[in-house]
Amino acid sequence: GWALQLAAEGCRRRGDGAGWREIRRSLQQGHFCDEGLALLERHDPAGMGLRWLTLDPAVPQGWTVHTAAPALLRRPMLLIGGWHDPHLNGVLDLWARARAAGGSPGLVIGAWSHLDWNGGLDTELLAFFRRHLQEAAPGTSPPTASEAPIRLQCCATGAWHSADDPSEPQGAAIGWSLHSAGLAAIRCDEGELRPAAAPAEGPRGGGVVVLVHDPWRPVAGRGGHLGLVPGLVERADLDRRADVACFSTTPLAQPLWLLGTVRLQLRVSADQPSFDLCAALSEVSPDGRSVRQLSSGVARFGPEEAAASGPRRVVLQPLATLVAAGQRLRLSLAAAAWPLIAVNPGDGSLPAGGSSAEHRVISLTLELDGSWLSLEPLIRAN
């Protein structure tokens, strides 16, 4: 969508009203996920958007890497991110690199998407600019705001927490193993998540689950940090599909503070040269009727990766939320998340859009022995 917006601006500058209207119509009608590459090839063939979309993200050749000098990383920074923003991991990477270089960057992450800051941060931005860009008036003291605030908003309550305050709730490393008698993709309440330690401390998980991805009706992706309408979203209908494997905890005995990055380790094999593994973490209401998606992630395995042995790994979007007592956590696994992620053709070629007549049916075998779902603390302030 962003690449097409740039292409439409190029049409406007060239006086190509017909091209501008064609792009605009595709975006408004929601056809751009299927038509986008063809539109870019027609209206902006030399643009960086088309080049990015046709480069393999798993291959470094062709990508431009911009590096920042350590002296620059030590300059004052106020880094702002959102839990539902696709750029959040870049913000966190910059925050970590600045600290490693000796800087003291501020960090604010709210329950926001990329374009919706829910009222903005004018006061905080103004204080930062005054502190670092404006000389104090004679006879006055400079602002006393913290040099490096770390403020995180809970997606469930909307409350703000200071991650550098020991009195505030801090993220803890926890984990679960996956278990099923083989029906986790048939019944959304059959698969289990059981509390577990790291895989290196002993065998974890158990059972085998097979799910079949049919490109004619790929599993939908919605909400989260990649959705056309981002944020928390209901997905009970998706979990009832027979091509989605679900694993749930028992009802929580007490509230659970989730602050960190969820990572999945699981052995998966496929009957085709390439496949995707799409994961979603949700909270399930006591009656099982509501399944609210909290975070999602995807891993793509091309021919070389798909042929390799060993566990597969999926990293989900970082999150900060409070899950109430009585709720259950659920991990949902599928082979597609369309239109958030291009549908994998299964033949080893680079995915570039929705399903086509050339897309293959893909059977995934999930081997749960040694499986591990973990929550790694996001920030250690000290």
Side-chain angles (χ1 to χ4, degrees), residues 6 20 26 69 89 166 184 215 227 230 245 250 282:
L6 297 181
W20 188 94
S26 183
N89 280 310
T250 58
S282 308

Side-chain angles (χ1 to χ4, degrees), residues 98-368:
R99 285 170 60 92
S104 185
L107 179 66
V108 178
I109 306 177
W112 309 316
S113 66
H114 182 55
L115 297 175
D116 184 4
W117 286 7
N118 193 25
L121 287 164
D122 293 349
T123 301
E124 194 138 14
L125 288 169
L126 184 58
F128 176 80
F129 293 144
R130 282 176 171 167
R131 183 177 186 86
H132 295 289
L133 300 179
Q134 185 179 52
E135 293 184 6
T140 64
S141 300
T144 58
S146 170
E147 185 71 25
I150 306 175
R151 299 179 55 241
L152 310 173
Q153 187 180 28
C154 174
C155 288
T157 66
W160 285 91
H161 301 273
S162 177
D164 44 3
D165 184 347
S167 66
E168 293 275 11
Q170 303 294 317
I174 51 179
W176 303 265
S177 55
L178 282 61
H179 300 259
S180 173
L183 298 178
I186 303 299
R187 288 176 40 196
C188 61
D189 60 349
E190 192 271 344
E192 299 178 75
L193 287 178
R194 300 178 187 172
E201 299 179 15
R204 297 289 183 267
V208 176
V209 175
V210 176
L211 58 88
V212 180
H213 158 72
D214 183 352
W216 181 260
R217 54 187 303 270
V219 175
R222 61 175 69 138
H225 64 294
L226 297 175
L228 301 178
V229 180
L232 303 177
V233 67
E234 180 67 33
R235 57 166 295 130
D237 58 322
L238 299 181
D239 284 359
R240 290 194 295 267
R241 293 178 54 133
D243 50 1
V244 178
C246 298
F247 306 87
S248 308
T249 66
T250 58
L252 299 178
Q254 56 189 11
L256 180 61
W257 174 238
L258 298 178
L259 172 60
T261 302
V262 175
R263 299 176 184 270
L264 172 65
Q265 176 177 300
L266 179 69
R267 292 186 178 274
V268 181
S269 58
D271 64 348
Q272 299 297 334
S274 63
F275 66 93
D276 291 352
L277 189 60
C278 305
L281 183 72
S282 308
E283 59 176 353
V284 183
S285 64
D287 60 9
R289 295 181 179 179
S290 174
V291 182
R292 189 170 70 154
Q293 182 176 289
L294 305 174
S295 177
S296 60
V298 62
R300 175 155 290 157
F301 303 96
E304 184 175 348
E305 297 88 353
S309 59
R312 318 292 183 181
R313 292 175 174 83
V314 185
V315 181
L316 280 68
Q317 176 83 343
L319 78 166
T321 192
L322 184 67
V323 182
Q327 301 278 87
R328 288 176 289 156
L329 286 178
R330 173 178 292 173
L331 174 70
S332 306
L333 300 177
W338 174 253
L340 279 58
I341 300 294
V343 181
N344 198 315
D347 59 3
S349 61
L350 185 67
S355 298
S356 71
E358 287 72 40
H359 277 60
R360 301 178 181 181
V361 173
I362 305 173
S363 294
L364 297 185
T365 301
L366 315 179
E367 301 176 21
L368 307 183

Side-chain angles (χ1 to χ4, degrees), residues 48-134:
M48 61 182 176
L50 180 61
R51 182 171 62 86
W52 287 359
L53 288 168
T54 52
L55 281 174
D56 188 341
V59 177
Q61 288 76 18
W63 293 95
T64 301
V65 178
H66 301 278
T67 57
L72 182 60
L73 293 173
R74 289 191 289 268
R75 299 293 295 273
M77 295 185 193
L78 178 59
L79 302 177
I80 300 171
W83 299 118
H84 312 306
D85 187 338
H87 300 288
L88 176 59
N89 280 310
V91 171
L92 292 172
D93 177 67
L94 179 55
W95 182 82
R97 288 192 290 126
R99 285 170 60 92
S104 185
L107 179 66
V108 178
I109 306 177
W112 309 316
S113 66
H114 182 55
L115 297 175
D116 184 4
W117 286 7
N118 193 25
L121 287 164
D122 293 349
T123 301
E124 194 138 14
L125 288 169
L126 184 58
F128 176 80
F129 293 144
R130 282 176 171 167
R131 183 177 186 86
H132 295 289
L133 300 179
Q134 185 179 52

